[in-house]
């Protein structure tokens, strides 16, 4: 992300936008040197677990182990604990557990773990659209533009935008979340999706929202799009917003 921030700072034309980028870069350096969070919202832990079908777990239940890792990370790392145990009663769990865990069975004998702590300033501005097939790709483009325009300054721009297209109501949302774990400089292998990523990045940066929502050339750092087959009667689209602090890391064991 540091490289992408530096590139965006050079492209920014607004004097105020350039100043904001200077503050973002300074904040990143302070976080690195002082070993403190780059943002006070250290998120809700989202885990993507790819498990090789030849793997057999023994001992402690895997979900218990994952949540213990999250507990240690947040308590021993002095990270903000932001998770409440019930969405209505809202009592803080005091250790940022439980995590949101997504499992996928894949070939092989390895386990791949991707951790993505997701802050809720941007998460709250995400949207899901159940489009009609006749809406086509123009409907998809309008949905992405609508989500970002409505997010405005509330999702802490410059954004990284994850988009899921296809599947079902819940599948497209998961695709959008997974899209955010891709490198922000990467592109889809599908030609029309790659073109859509480039086009939407340009159109989002033409909105003029700018860094911190204060106007400027750079509103988005990247648009990552994932697709999946869907039903003849549907065209689900999810847009998962993320601020410039697009934190994720992957390890294989």
């Amino acid at each position: 992300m540091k490289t992408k921030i530096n590139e965006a700072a050079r492209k920014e034309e607004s004097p105020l936008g350039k100043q904001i980028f200077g503050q973002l870069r300074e904040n990143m350096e302070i976080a690195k040197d002082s070993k403190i969070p780059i943002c006070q919202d250290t998120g809700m832990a989202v885990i993507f677990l790819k498990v090789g079908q030849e793997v057999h777990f023994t001992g402690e239940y895997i979900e218990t182990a994952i949540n213990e890792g999250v507990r240690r990370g947040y308590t021993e790392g002095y990270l903000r604990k932001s998770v409440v145990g019930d969405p209505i009663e809202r009592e803080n769990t005091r250790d940022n557990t439980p995590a949101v865990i997504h499992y996928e069975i894949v070939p092989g004998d390895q386990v791949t773990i991707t951790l993505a702590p997701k802050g809720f300033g941007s998460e709250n501005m995400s949207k899901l659209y159940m489009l009609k097939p006749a809406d086509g790709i123009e409907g998809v483009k309008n949905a992405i533009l609508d989500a970002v325009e409505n997010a405005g300054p509330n999702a802490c721009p410059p954004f990284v935008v994850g988009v899921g297209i296809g599947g079902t109501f819940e599948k497209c949302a998961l695709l959008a979340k997974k899209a955010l774990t891709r490198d922000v400089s990467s592109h889809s292998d599908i030609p029309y999706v790659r073109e859509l990523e480039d086009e939407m990045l340009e159109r989002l940066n033409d909105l003029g929202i700018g860094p911190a929502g204060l106007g400027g050339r750079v509103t988005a750092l990247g648009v990552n799009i994932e697709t999946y087959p869907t039903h003849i009667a549907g065209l689900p689209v999810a847009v998962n917003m993320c601020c410039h602090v697009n934190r994720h890391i992957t390890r294989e064991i």
Side-chain angles (χ1 to χ4, degrees):
M1 287 304 298
K2 182 178 180 180
T3 301
K4 203 69 177 178
I5 290 286
N6 288 336
E7 290 176 0
R10 289 191 290 271
K11 293 178 182 177
E12 183 53 65
E13 300 168 358
S14 161
L16 184 54
K18 287 183 177 293
Q19 182 180 339
I20 295 298
F21 270 117
Q23 293 172 349
L24 294 181
R25 289 191 289 185
E26 181 182 5
N27 183 54
M28 292 172 71
E29 290 303 317
I30 292 172
K32 177 184 175 183
D33 295 341
S34 303
K35 294 181 171 55
I36 58 176
I38 197 170
C39 174
Q40 50 83 24
D41 184 352
T42 50
M44 187 170 189
V46 179
I47 310 291
F48 292 96
L49 200 68
K50 289 185 176 180
V51 181
Q53 65 179 5
E54 297 174 32
V55 172
H56 177 67
F57 293 111
T58 60
E60 193 168 40
Y61 175 43
I62 182 62
E63 205 154 296
T64 302
I66 290 172
N67 281 314
E68 175 61 15
V70 170
R71 184 194 69 78
R72 291 184 189 180
Y74 276 82
T75 55
E76 296 173 14
Y78 301 102
L79 305 179
R80 195 182 83 181
K81 290 79 175 174
S82 304
V83 173
V84 293
D86 183 275
I88 301 301
E89 295 179 346
R90 307 197 72 78
E91 181 179 350
N92 198 296
T93 63
R94 303 182 186 278
D95 59 8
N96 226 60
T97 66
V100 175
I101 308 171
H102 302 290
Y103 298 92
E104 183 179 354
I105 304 298
V106 297
D109 59 359
Q110 302 291 312
V111 176
T112 303
I113 305 169
T114 298
L115 167 64
K118 190 63 167 66
F120 261 64
S122 57
E123 186 78 354
N124 283 338
M125 301 311 297
S126 302
K127 287 184 176 293
L128 190 146
Y129 305 81
M130 299 303 290
L131 303 181
K132 302 178 184 67
D135 292 327
I137 196 165
E138 291 304 316
V140 172
K141 293 175 184 179
N142 290 335
I144 298 170
L145 287 167
D146 178 70
V148 174
E149 282 188 292
N150 277 288
N154 296 320
C156 301
F159 310 122
V160 179
V161 183
V163 181
I165 307 171
T168 55
F169 176 85
E170 80 282 5
K171 180 66 175 181
C172 69
L174 182 57
L175 289 171
K177 181 74 70 182
K178 287 181 71 174
L180 290 176
T181 65
R182 272 177 38 202
D183 187 283
V184 72
S185 298
S186 67
H187 279 291
S188 171
D189 294 330
I190 304 171
Y192 89 85
V193 178
R194 181 188 182 101
E195 292 174 8
L196 184 59
E197 289 173 336
D198 287 337
E199 178 185 344
M200 293 314 301
L201 179 59
E202 183 175 347
R203 292 182 66 176
L204 295 182
N205 284 330
D206 285 340
L207 292 175
I209 296 171
L214 298 175
R217 180 74 185 96
V218 182
T219 294
L221 299 172
V223 179
N224 290 355
I225 300 174
E226 297 291 327
T227 63
Y228 195 82
T230 192
H231 192 277
I232 58 171
L235 180 56
V237 178
V239 181
N240 196 195
M241 303 297 301
C242 189
C243 65
H244 74 281
V245 188
N246 185 20
R247 301 162 290 195
H248 52 86
I249 191 167
T250 299
R251 292 292 183 267
E252 187 176 88
I253 56 176

